[in-house]
Amino acid sequence: MDDSMNIDEGSGAVTRKGRGFRSPAGADSTADEGRYERLETQHQKDGDTGKAARSVEGWIVLVTNVHEEASEDDVQDKFADYGEIKNLHLNLDRRSGYVKGYALVEYETYAEAKRAIDEASGTKLLDQELQCDFAFVRPPPNVPRGNPRRGGNARRRSASPARR
C-alpha cells in the first residue's frame, strides 16, 4: 500500500471568487437562466383571491376578540361548520393561563376560509363578538417605498442628530 498523497501539480485549477461564481463563458452569460421551473401564482391556483395571500400550507384566518375563557374545542366547534380545519392555534398568556384574545384557524382552500370570514364575523362566542380576516395579505401593487429624495428605497429609521 502506498501511503503517500498524490499531488496534482499544474492541474490548472480554476479559482472562483465572489458572488455566484460566474461561468467561464463570461460575466454576461445567460446559460443558467431558464433552468428553474416557474411556480404557479396564487391567482392561477385559487382563482380570484383579492388581497388575501396563502401561507405555505393553507389559508389562515385570524380571529380576534376571542373570550379569555374560550377553549380550543369552542373555537373548533364554531369554525368547523365552514370547512375542514387543518390547524388551529389558540395562544395562551403564560402568566395568567387565559387565551390572549385571538386564534389562528387554517383551512385547505380559499373558499372555506372566505366563507368562515364572511359568516363568522360579527357572531358571538361566549358573549363576545368575533372579528375575522385573512392573516396574510398582499401589499398593494406599484406603491413607491421609501423617501424619493433619499434614493427611493431607503430604510425607515430616524435621522441622526445634527452636529454642533
Side-chain angles (χ1 to χ4, degrees):
M1 237 182 169
D2 190 9
D3 290 336
S4 64
M5 290 189 348
N6 292 332
I7 300 174
D8 190 11
E9 294 179 15
S11 66
V14 178
T15 57
R16 297 180 176 186
K17 293 182 180 180
R19 298 176 183 230
F21 303 123
R22 299 278 184 192
S23 66
D28 49 324
S29 172
T30 58
D32 290 339
E33 289 183 21
R35 184 172 65 178
Y36 301 104
E37 294 179 12
R38 187 173 174 96
L39 294 176
E40 292 180 25
T41 63
Q42 295 308 317
H43 292 293
Q44 295 168 343
K45 195 173 186 180
D46 295 302
D48 182 31
T49 59
K51 65 177 185 166
R54 187 178 194 275
S55 74
V56 174
E57 296 181 5
W59 295 90
I60 298 180
V61 176
L62 175 66
V63 183
T64 56
N65 203 25
V66 177
H67 194 276
E68 65 181 10
E69 293 181 1
S71 69
E72 205 167 291
D73 289 336
D74 294 332
V75 178
Q76 178 90 29
D77 292 342
K78 179 80 171 173
F79 286 90
D81 299 338
Y82 310 115
E84 183 182 343
I85 295 174
K86 278 181 61 175
N87 201 353
L88 182 121
H89 282 281
L90 192 64
N91 293 333
L92 303 176
D93 186 3
R94 286 189 199 136
R95 197 169 21 144
S96 67
Y98 289 116
V99 174
K100 283 191 169 185
Y102 68 93
L104 298 168
V105 183
E106 184 176 345
Y107 291 99
E108 180 70 34
T109 65
Y110 173 79
E112 292 172 337
K114 183 68 174 154
R115 183 172 168 233
I117 290 170
D118 292 341
E119 295 182 20
S121 288
T123 61
K124 291 196 179 254
L125 179 68
L126 298 180
D127 296 328
Q128 278 194 241
E129 190 173 305
L130 299 176
Q131 301 299 320
C132 306
D133 200 2
F134 284 104
F136 301 108
V137 293
R138 287 188 189 91
N142 300 328
V143 174
R145 294 176 55 195
N147 185 346
R149 290 181 283 167
R150 297 188 72 197
N153 200 10
R155 292 186 294 151
R156 303 249 185 237
R157 59 183 180 183
S158 60
S160 299
R163 292 191 159 199
R164 294 182 182 187

